[in-house]
Amino acid sequence: TSSYSAYVTTATLASVPLTHSSTWTAVNVTSISVQWLQGTNPLNVTQYLVQLSTVSGFGSGTPISSTTYLSTATFTNLVPDTIYYAQVKAVNHSNISTLYADLGSTRTNVANSPTNFQFTNAALTTLTASWTASSPAGDTYIMRVSTASNFSGTLSSSQTALTNATASSPALSINTTYYGQVAAVVNGSTSSYSAYVTTATLASVPL
């Protein structure tokens, strides 16, 4: 018997992952966690490619991808109040992939409104207010004031990355009652407005 030839290596194929009965383990405003079953794949040594998309069927757009050797993945920096679809495939040691397993869809939570809105200063034609940042914090905030409690009256608004703002454009009316509230903008999605607070601009000195 001769000596053996130099060895060659390869790998058996991976099997398609299976859908877990509880696919979404965490759903938040800008993040979600998804899980699946490894099926017959060896635990902790099989690589998985999981994708997330706002397009059902993944036929267009650019999906968000993550690779892992676990059977769970977390995606962050997502858009609030948006439906996301997920799929996962297994990759063997020779980098040969299985077909994707459809993991279904879920919707991220609506962005939270800022809290503790209050007017901090009143002038003849301007009003200044502050608030507590939403959670997660807004990229920007939209403060608006109106002469009507349903905000159908004369409206003035200000957008800022801070947690305070002054409504001055268009100029407010002297000695007039105004209603004010604020909303957060998170990853391009605007939250509902906070409960309104009322105050009045100052009266002018008689001539």
Side-chain angles (χ1 to χ4, degrees):
T1 302
S2 71
S3 59
Y4 282 92
S5 63
Y7 67 79
V8 175
T9 185
T10 190
T12 52
L13 297 179
S15 63
V16 178
L18 303 177
T19 302
H20 199 287
S21 58
S22 299
T23 303
W24 307 99
T25 57
V27 178
N28 301 302
V29 176
T30 59
S31 66
I32 54 179
S33 295
V34 60
Q35 66 177 352
W36 56 91
L37 298 173
Q38 74 268 16
T40 57
N41 294 306
L43 187 65
N44 297 326
V45 297
T46 303
Q47 185 182 72
Y48 298 95
L49 174 63
V50 56
Q51 292 186 324
L52 207 65
S53 176
T54 56
V55 179
S56 176
F58 294 79
S60 61
T62 303
I64 307 168
S65 299
S66 175
T67 56
T68 179
Y69 286 92
L70 304 175
S71 56
T72 182
T74 297
F75 294 88
T76 59
N77 201 34
L78 305 179
V79 179
D81 194 25
T82 300
I83 295 175
Y84 284 93
Y85 303 86
Q87 61 181 11
V88 64
K89 66 180 180 179
V91 183
N92 80 343
H93 299 302
S94 297
N95 205 35
I96 300 173
S97 302
T98 67
L99 297 176
Y100 278 103
D102 183 1
L103 299 179
S105 64
T106 191
R107 181 186 292 270
T108 49
N109 293 338
V110 175
N112 295 312
S113 304
T115 57
N116 300 321
F117 180 87
Q118 58 182 331
F119 287 107
T120 57
N121 187 64
L124 294 175
T125 59
T126 64
L127 291 171
T128 300
S130 67
W131 54 88
T132 300
S134 58
S135 178
D139 302 311
T140 60
Y141 298 93
I142 303 172
M143 184 187 85
R144 66 180 184 178
V145 298
S146 174
T147 53
S149 61
N150 63 358
F151 291 82
S152 62
T154 303
L155 191 68
S156 178
S157 63
S158 177
Q159 188 161 358
T160 177
L162 306 176
T163 54
N164 59 82
T166 297
S168 59
S169 180
L172 307 185
S173 300
I174 296 172
N175 192 22
T176 300
T177 297
Y178 282 92
Y179 301 84
Q181 56 185 184
V182 65
V185 181
V186 180
N187 290 347
S189 178
T190 303
S191 74
S192 57
Y193 280 89
S194 62
Y196 69 75
V197 175
T198 185
T199 192
T201 51
L202 298 182
S204 60
V205 178
L207 302 178

